[in-house]
Amino acid sequence: MNRLLMAIDGNSLLFQAYHAFYKANLTTRDGFPTGALKGFFTKFLELLKQEPSHVLVAFDVHQPTFRHEKYPDYKLGRKPADEDLRKQMPVVRELLHSMGVAVIECPGYEGDDILGTFARKAEAADMDTLIVTGDRDSFQLITDRTRIYYTKDNSIVDTATLMEKYGLTPDRMRDLKALMGDSSDHIPGVAGVGEKTALKLLSEYGDLESVLSHAGEVKGKLGERLAADTENARFSYWLGTIATDAPVRETLDDCAFDFERTGAAKQRLYELELNSVADKLPGGEPPKQDDAVPEAETVPVTDPDGMRSALEALKDCEAIAVTAFPTLSFAGTPDRAYVLTAGETLFDACMDEDEAYRMLGAFLLAHKKPMLAFDAKAVFHRCGFSADELPTLRFDAMLSDYLLQSNRPVENYETLCRAWLKTEKASPAYLFTLYPRMERAIRENGLEALERDVELPLLNVLYSMERTGFMTDANVLDELHARFSETANMLEARIYDAAGERFNILSTKQLGRILFEKLGLPSGKKTKTGFSTDADTLEAIAPLHPIVNDVLQYRFLMKLDSTFVEGMKKQRDANGRIHSRFMQCVTATGRISSTEPNLQNIPVRTPEGREIRKAFVPSAGNVLVGADYSQIELRLLAHISGDESFIAAFNSGEDIHARTAAEVFHVPLENVTSELRSAAKAVNFGIVYGISDFGLARNLGIPVPRAADYIRRYFDRYPKVQAYLKESVARAKERGCAETLFGRKRPLPELAASNYNVRQFGERVAMNMPIQGTAADVIKIAMVRVDRALRDGGFKARLVLQIHDELIVDTPRDEAGRVMELMQRTMEGVADFSVRLVAEAKCGESWYETK
């Protein structure tokens, strides 16, 4: 057996792990920071590949050491650990203990001393040691039996590599520190001597005492400093010497390690949502009895006869639980689940999945069985339900989890089962246990109406939109491709002419060479691979050379063509329709997003981007009706803030930005210039997102003081808007979340973060979430009501798209007028606010014409 002691510097590894994940701001869904934990245990498991027979993790004790007794200023001035890191320190120890790892501390001594002491114990026991640390001081502990795993560059340091890098033996590393000192530990050393000088002195004279004894021979101020700081150097040598005889209680036997024992921490790691770490551990404890779920028998379904038998057994069940991934699984009771699977031998083929879903779908409709599901929309698609005939959806665990944790929704059913049931299994039968637990949480958080009246019925609407799809015109796509290609070719020729050579314009490296080396334009930030050529960098230097604007336009057209024009050609079905997927459980604000393709990403602020909308057309014999809310977020800001002047400005029916400009800049409405209106518009929209004077200045291209004056004037005119922004942050801090008018909540652990930038982000979200989230609720309610009104009214018209605050309906021509009136009336009647909701409807032969 490999007799190896792995001795880990716990403080060093933990601090390094924390700062590696500092910007990521990793937390559990309830806000507990986990970045240091993730980094520490990810590295810890990687280190265990060395297969040590013994493992210890040494930590400093937070009290003075024997070094402080002689030198009270030892480590003076070190900043205390961040609050987020301090919270994780006891959890690291807790997890290590549960893994069976020796966690060793020694009052009066540091972690380094524990490492040194156990390294020498191991040598005496004829055992090798690998010390894991990011502290170079430990290099003095290197021997033929002790090596260092240096975490700063993940290298193994032994006597040979130490000599190669520093030209010193391990003992001389103390001499090096004695001469150069250490500002981080407040060790004085010799004034003015750095590493380079110290290495030169040791190379010439051998060791510290020889250097000091030859101080008189060293010329200039260096010799004077050596003579003056002789005692400092000797004292620094003592301070920097790692003790190898610390009075630790533990023995080597206490450090014996068995990897199988690490599985005891598995459930706790899942609770901390460190799934990637937990998944690498063996075994694991069963769930606590309080959280235990009934064991569910798994019955394999391998052929149509087995499927029919399974469905027959479910006829008397009150509801059916279904999950679709990784394969079809369903249950009618909490104790038995049926799973589509292959047969017992290689020659037994699994029945066709599509056929199994069709059989299940037919059963649900024929027997009118309500469904419990995770991602019911995916199940609907697999079952091939008609958009006009769907089973009753009683509960979707994915939707419920999203409502409860909008900022960190689970990605799959397995993760949800771990989070809610503390189990690694993911049986559909568990939905019968999840349903009452999650519904109780929904009630306790006041989310019942959102789930019942908005999200669950909206799922059916989105399914209908996905299944119906949006008709596209191939001829328009071909024309756009030809036009974009022609313009891109023209730009390409101009770019080559300006550069004086041909090159790959889309290559960052080649473009950087042309712009910054050949043409001599000022370069901005550099990446690991060379010059940055991102949009911000190029826009900053665009006035300096015409080639830059041509490059920006070329890249834009190429992306537009490849992503949308050519991309959508590939996504059209046999009938010419594009079936975008509408994501209900992604954004923390409640907004719906789309993918495959993401129609929200079409850059409609540009003429070329708007042209793409011409490719989206109605079905044969139909027209498109589009309706969107006018300035909904500003209207909601006026309502939520209760500012009478702002409300009056909206209810006057005049141009809100011009009206705001007139009131803020104290000019008659008829004298508002385009510049003043633009400034008022920028402030209006910026306020919703907590814009700063710097941000407004950048957006308007004006000096920061003038931007600050604009914001001050705005708040002077609309004081309750400013009061709302302050109150929203205070309320979110008190409640731990921001909330919409309809009760949707977004947890905000960022408000308690130690990182200033993260806290600032949390404050901006606290201001914006009630507005943007309420706008999301309004459009969702409008979708549900418009869809219901069309069906109840016997219309053939159907919703085909929702994007931002806009709805698009594909309708027969003879219904168009009534559909426009229905959409406008329904959308404006979603809620009764102090500022009237305004929806503007328009009819056209393409999406382009409905705007």
Side-chain angles (χ1 to χ4, degrees):
M1 180 181 177
N2 181 29
R3 284 176 55 79
L4 171 67
L5 168 67
M6 180 175 286
I8 299 173
D9 183 340
N11 290 85
S12 172
L13 187 58
L14 189 58
F15 273 80
Q16 192 171 332
Y18 173 71
H19 289 289
F21 286 91
Y22 178 69
K23 291 184 179 179
N25 190 39
L26 297 181
T27 67
T28 61
R29 296 200 295 168
D30 60 3
F32 185 81
T34 57
L37 295 171
K38 181 178 176 66
F40 184 96
F41 285 101
T42 298
K43 189 65 178 180
F44 179 68
L45 293 179
E46 179 187 318
L47 290 166
L48 292 184
K49 293 177 182 177
Q50 301 283 335
E51 298 184 354
S53 57
H54 295 67
V55 177
L56 71 86
V57 180
F59 286 102
D60 295 341
V61 178
H62 294 293
Q63 64 183 54
T65 67
F66 70 92
R67 295 178 179 87
H68 290 91
E69 292 176 3
K70 283 193 176 182
Y71 184 46
D73 287 349
Y74 181 59
K75 295 193 175 182
L76 182 69
R78 276 202 176 183
K79 294 181 179 179
D82 289 352
E83 178 62 24
D84 284 357
L85 176 56
R86 286 202 296 272
K87 289 178 182 177
Q88 297 173 74
M89 287 177 171
V91 183
V92 170
R93 290 172 169 82
E94 169 202 338
L95 288 165
L96 288 170
H97 279 301
S98 66
M99 289 179 172
V101 176
V103 175
I104 301 179
E105 298 173 340
C106 186
Y109 289 79
E110 297 176 70
D112 285 349
D113 301 320
I114 297 170
L115 300 178
T117 298
F118 271 90
R120 298 301 175 255
K121 286 177 179 287
E123 287 188 23
D126 195 27
M127 185 184 298
D128 291 328
T129 299
L130 182 65
I131 294 174
V132 178
T133 183
D135 188 349
R136 202 172 61 169
D137 290 349
S138 293
F139 290 178
Q140 65 184 268
L141 298 173
I142 293 173
T143 67
D144 290 341
R145 303 297 301 265
T146 299
R147 300 174 300 154
I148 306 295
Y149 183 102
Y150 190 50
T151 57
K152 293 289 180 66
D153 59 10
N154 296 316
S155 63
I156 300 291
V157 184
D158 56 17
T159 53
T161 54
L162 192 64
M163 180 61 70
E164 181 181 347
K165 187 169 184 178
Y166 295 101
L168 299 176
T169 60
D171 272 352
R172 299 286 77 78
M173 294 302 293
R174 291 179 289 175
D175 300 335
L176 178 66
K177 187 157 189 171
L179 287 168
M180 60 184 286
D182 187 339
S183 59
S184 65
D185 287 346
H186 212 254
I187 295 177
V190 176
V193 173
E195 181 175 305
K196 186 176 180 180
T197 301
L199 286 172
K200 183 179 179 182
L201 289 169
L202 291 172
S203 173
E204 186 171 352
Y205 296 108
D207 60 20
L208 174 66
E209 287 302 325
S210 295
V211 170
L212 296 177
S213 65
H214 288 84
E217 301 174 12
V218 179
K219 296 180 180 178
K221 289 187 177 180
L222 177 58
E224 294 173 9
R225 289 170 178 166
L226 286 171
D229 282 343
T230 293
E231 291 308 311
N232 273 347
R234 291 191 175 114
F235 186 56
S236 297
Y237 181 90
W238 179 83
L239 281 173
T241 297
I242 294 175
T244 57
D245 57 352
V248 292
R249 298 187 306 271
E250 294 83 358
T251 67
L252 277 175
D253 288 342
D254 294 321
C255 303
F257 177 73
D258 179 2
F259 181 69
E260 291 302 312
R261 291 184 60 187
T262 61
K266 198 161 190 168
Q267 289 301 324
R268 178 64 174 130
L269 286 165
Y270 282 137
E271 291 171 7
L272 292 162
E273 298 167 30
L274 297 173
N275 297 346
S276 62
V277 177
D279 287 343
K280 296 174 183 175
L281 300 184
E285 294 178 345
K288 296 177 183 177
Q289 194 59 41
D290 291 345
D291 297 323
V293 293
E295 279 295 323
E297 176 190 2
T298 298
V299 179
V301 175
T302 61
D303 55 40
D305 287 341
M307 188 71 182
R308 279 188 283 271
S309 297
L311 295 175
E312 181 67 26
L314 301 181
K315 277 187 176 180
D316 295 329
C317 295
E318 196 272 331
I320 307 299
V322 187
T323 56
F325 300 103
T327 186
L328 172 61
S329 305
F330 53 96
T333 60
D335 57 356
R336 177 175 294 180
Y338 298 88
V339 180
L340 190 66
T341 186
E344 295 181 0
T345 74
L346 292 174
F347 302 101
D348 295 331
C350 177
M351 76 173 292
D352 181 70
E353 260 198 308
D354 291 337
E355 181 184 0
Y357 276 105
R358 283 194 296 271
M359 291 174 69
L360 175 62
F363 172 84
L364 290 168
L365 293 178
H367 295 276
K368 301 188 184 306
K369 297 290 186 183
M371 261 181 61
L372 312 178
F374 179 90
D375 195 358
K377 187 150 61 71
V379 175
F380 286 178
H381 277 296
R382 293 305 305 268
C383 290
F385 291 125
S386 161
D388 297 320
E389 188 178 20
L390 295 170
T392 299
L393 179 60
R394 179 176 294 172
F395 169 67
D396 188 326
M398 185 171 78
L399 277 180
S400 297
D401 176 79
Y402 172 63
L403 282 171
L404 291 164
Q405 292 288 351
S406 61
N407 61 334
R408 293 278 297 277
V410 295
E411 296 179 357
N412 52 58
Y413 184 53
E414 289 83 355
T415 304
L416 184 132
C417 287
R418 286 171 187 158
W420 281 86
L421 303 178
K422 307 298 185 291
T423 177
E424 296 176 51
K425 299 177 182 178
S427 170
Y430 293 161
L431 286 166
F432 290 103
T433 302
L434 285 164
Y435 177 39
R437 292 190 187 185
M438 297 186 80
E439 288 302 287
R440 181 169 61 251
I442 290 285
R443 289 193 300 274
E444 290 171 353
N445 284 275
L447 297 165
E448 295 166 280
L450 267 177
E451 181 184 51
R452 180 188 63 244
D453 301 332
V454 182
E455 298 294 355
L456 283 174
L458 179 66
L459 186 148
N460 290 359
V461 177
L462 297 178
Y463 174 72
S464 174
M465 291 164 58
E466 291 178 1
R467 188 165 175 83
T468 302
F470 203 150
M471 182 64 71
T472 54
D473 189 327
N475 292 328
V476 174
L477 290 172
D478 288 339
E479 291 170 6
L480 288 172
H481 173 64
R483 194 190 317 165
F484 291 166
S485 297
E486 181 181 359
T487 306
N489 289 337
M490 178 195 70
L491 290 166
E492 186 179 62
R494 291 206 324 225
I495 292 167
Y496 291 158
D497 183 60
E501 63 178 274
R502 297 176 65 88
F503 66 99
N504 183 353
I505 302 169
L506 299 180
S507 165
T508 296
K509 185 175 182 180
Q510 293 184 39
L511 178 62
R513 179 181 64 81
I514 294 294
L515 296 180
F516 306 123
E517 294 180 3
K518 187 170 184 179
L519 298 180
L521 294 172
S523 60
K525 57 188 177 184
K526 292 192 73 173
T527 67
K528 292 180 180 179
T529 56
F531 296 108
S532 171
T533 61
D534 62 16
D536 288 342
T537 300
L538 296 191
E539 286 168 3
I541 62 173
L544 304 180
H545 200 293
I547 192 176
V548 182
N549 272 325
D550 285 345
V551 168
L552 285 167
Q553 182 66 6
Y554 177 83
R555 292 202 309 199
F556 172 71
L557 283 176
M558 294 297 287
K559 182 176 181 180
L560 204 61
D561 188 42
S562 62
T563 302
F564 293 105
V565 179
E566 292 298 288
M568 288 194 300
K569 282 184 182 181
K570 298 173 184 176
Q571 290 169 323
R572 298 171 75 240
D573 68 10
N575 299 312
R577 292 182 177 275
I578 284 179
H579 300 269
S580 187
R581 291 178 56 212
F582 297 96
M583 313 300 287
Q584 195 173 356
C585 302
V586 173
T587 66
T589 59
R591 286 273 189 184
I592 297 169
S593 61
S594 70
T595 185
E596 299 176 13
N598 183 352
L599 300 179
Q600 294 183 358
N601 276 357
I602 297 176
V604 293
R605 292 174 184 257
T606 65
E608 298 87 353
R610 288 193 292 273
E611 290 280 302
I612 292 174
R613 287 182 167 181
K614 291 180 178 179
F616 290 86
V617 296
S619 304
N622 285 10
V623 292
L624 295 178
V625 172
D628 66 349
Y629 284 109
S630 171
Q631 299 168 331
I632 185 171
E633 291 188 356
L634 292 181
R635 292 174 186 271
L636 289 171
L637 174 60
H639 170 76
I640 293 174
S641 68
D643 190 285
E644 295 84 359
S645 297
F646 203 23
I647 292 170
F650 264 112
N651 289 339
S652 68
E654 296 172 320
D655 180 331
I656 183 61
H657 302 308
R659 167 60 65 183
T660 300
E663 296 188 352
V664 168
F665 299 113
H666 308 297
V667 297
L669 185 61
E670 60 272 16
N671 291 345
V672 170
T673 64
S674 60
E675 180 185 1
L676 289 179
R677 185 185 183 279
S678 295
K681 182 178 181 180
V683 178
N684 268 330
F685 285 116
I687 290 299
V688 176
Y689 294 92
I691 198 167
S692 65
D693 50 7
F694 176 80
L696 182 62
R698 183 178 56 190
N699 291 349
L700 290 176
I702 61 175
V704 173
R706 192 193 305 177
D709 183 57
Y710 284 176
I711 294 174
R712 180 188 59 76
R713 287 169 176 255
Y714 185 94
F715 285 141
D716 285 345
R717 184 60 183 132
Y718 303 134
K720 287 191 177 179
V721 171
Q722 185 176 30
Y724 155 72
L725 296 176
K726 292 180 179 178
E727 289 166 7
S728 65
V729 173
R731 187 163 49 247
K733 286 180 178 178
E734 179 184 347
R735 299 178 180 178
C737 68
E739 190 171 341
T740 72
L741 294 180
F742 294 91
R744 186 184 303 277
K745 295 174 174 62
R746 174 176 178 172
L748 281 175
E750 295 91 347
L751 291 174
S754 60
N755 183 331
Y756 172 79
N757 291 329
V758 173
R759 286 200 311 276
Q760 287 293 103
F761 168 78
E763 291 183 5
R764 290 194 297 273
V765 172
M767 298 175 195
N768 173 249
M769 167 61 187
I771 300 164
Q772 193 177 47
T774 298
D777 292 339
V778 166
I779 194 70
K780 284 182 171 181
I781 295 169
M783 292 175 71
V784 171
R785 293 186 183 179
V786 166
D787 181 78
R788 184 179 300 143
L790 291 174
R791 294 178 188 276
D792 291 348
F795 291 91
K796 293 180 181 178
R798 289 292 178 265
L799 273 167
V800 292
L801 179 65
Q802 181 275 332
I803 182 166
H804 304 305
D805 304 317
E806 175 186 6
L807 300 182
I808 302 291
V809 167
D810 189 351
T811 178
R813 289 181 184 276
D814 60 358
E815 295 181 356
R818 289 179 295 153
V819 167
M820 288 178 67
E821 189 277 330
L822 178 151
M823 291 180 71
Q824 187 169 344
R825 181 182 69 251
T826 304
M827 292 172 70
E828 291 182 350
V830 162
D832 185 18
F833 297 131
S834 57
V835 175
R836 186 172 70 91
L837 292 177
V838 174
E840 301 169 345
K842 190 176 179 182
C843 183
E845 298 294 334
S846 69
W847 183 15
Y848 182 88
E849 293 183 6
T850 65
K851 292 298 291 179

